[in-house]
Amino acid sequence: MTTNDTRPAAPKQSTFRSRGRFALMMAFTLTELRLLTRRKGVLAVALFLPMMLVGLSYLGQRPDSLEQWGTTLGVYFMYALMMTPYMSTATQLSSRRDTLVYKRLRTTELDGAELIAANLIAVAVLGLTQMLLMLAVFLATGAPAPENLPLVLAGVVLGLVLAPILGTFIVSVTGNHERVMFTMMPLLILAVIGAQLLDYPIEIVAWIAILVPLVPAADLIAKGWGGAGAGLQSLPVPVSPVVADIVLLVGWTALAIFVTTRTWRWEPRS
């Protein structure tokens, strides 16, 4: 007498189910991208910010050395990280949480983490598009090519990962959408100021600046573009600034995820 053993089919079913969830998450990401591009304010920032930054660089004093170019472009790319991935994530997630959009979407096959991840991927793609446009505009208007392209890419990728996660963290510790505009401003201001203090003559100021989330991404981009002479030059510990930048970016990402997963709520709080 023979029996049919169906146990080997279980891994296949699990694989098919995982593929189906991944396909659904990617479909949700594409939907989020379409919704983002329909928001005229977000699209205007993504498309016209690079031109505005180039205009500012021409109105002011143009960099006259490779190191100055690196420092300047590191700051400009920091602006891009804060204005699109960070701010867009915070405002969009808080708005949808308050209107219970995500709470209703959790009745689908995707769990809460996958819903949020799909949203963050969409925002990161928009941020990457913005940075590529900035890169093209800067190179077309006289900026030198990067000295160390892998460092530039490391700063961009790690920054694009951290910025939306920081936006999610801000929403998780803020009660409702009305308060998000206030709670996200301190980090925005600190990051913008910190990116400009990386080459400050007083070393302790630069050391404090590098501890601000996302500022290490600006330092990596500055060094990748302008060489080792751009950005932060030394640390009070026997670690190279590049290694410190990467460790800090990964550390801030892990910490933000840890806090967010423990404080996130699917409904607004008073």
Side-chain angles (χ1 to χ4, degrees), residues 86-136:
Y86 173 69
M87 293 182 65
S88 295
T89 297
T91 55
Q92 182 169 295
L93 285 185
S94 61
S95 174
R96 292 186 179 180
R97 181 191 63 184
D98 282 20
T99 54
L100 305 181
V101 171
Y102 288 124
K103 188 174 183 179
R104 291 192 294 270
L105 286 173
R106 292 180 71 201
T107 59
T108 66
E109 292 185 12
L110 296 180
D111 60 25
E114 289 168 333
L115 288 170
I116 299 299
N119 186 285
L120 301 192
I121 292 172
V123 175
V125 169
L126 184 63
L128 178 61
T129 302
Q130 180 191 51
M131 288 188 163
L132 290 175
L133 182 58
M134 288 176 62
L135 174 63

Side-chain angles (χ1 to χ4, degrees), residues 167-191:
T168 309
F169 160 76
I170 291 296
V171 177
S172 73
V173 297
T174 306
N176 53 56
H177 180 65
E178 282 123 14
R179 297 178 184 173
V180 163
M181 290 302 295
F182 298 98
T183 54
M184 71 179 178
M185 289 309 293
L187 180 57
L188 173 66
I189 294 170
L190 286 174

Side-chain angles (χ1 to χ4, degrees), residues 145-166:
E147 276 280 295
N148 189 333
L149 184 58
L151 271 188
V152 174
L153 293 177
V156 169
V157 171
L158 292 174
L160 284 173
V161 171
L162 177 56
I165 291 175
L166 284 175

Side-chain angles (χ1 to χ4, degrees), residues 12-25:
K12 292 183 179 179
Q13 293 175 359
S14 177
T15 301
F16 291 148
R17 190 177 298 112
S18 298
R19 291 177 180 175
R21 292 169 69 92
F22 179 77
L24 184 59
M25 191 173 80

Side-chain angles (χ1 to χ4, degrees), residues 50 53-55 57-58 62 69 72-73 76-77 131 133-144 225:
L53 294 178
V54 171
S57 69
Y58 277 103
R62 278 175 60 83
W69 270 108
T72 300
L73 296 182
Y76 284 169
F77 277 99
M131 288 188 163
L133 182 58
M134 288 176 62
L135 174 63
V137 172
F138 279 125
L139 292 176
T141 53
W225 214 297

Side-chain angles (χ1 to χ4, degrees), residues 192-267:
V192 170
I193 294 175
Q196 300 180 62
L197 296 176
L198 289 173
D199 57 353
Y200 199 74
I202 302 176
E203 288 185 333
I204 191 171
V205 175
W207 296 340
I208 294 173
I210 201 65
L211 297 176
V212 178
L214 280 176
V215 171
D219 191 51
L220 283 176
I221 294 171
K223 285 182 169 54
W225 214 297
L232 187 67
Q233 294 301 301
S234 64
L235 288 168
V237 292
V239 177
S240 73
V242 170
V243 173
D245 290 336
I246 295 173
V247 170
L248 285 169
L249 288 170
V250 174
W252 279 119
T253 301
L255 180 61
I257 292 174
F258 176 81
V259 176
T260 300
T261 55
R262 281 155 180 76
T263 57
W264 181 268
R265 298 291 183 271
W266 295 102
E267 297 179 354

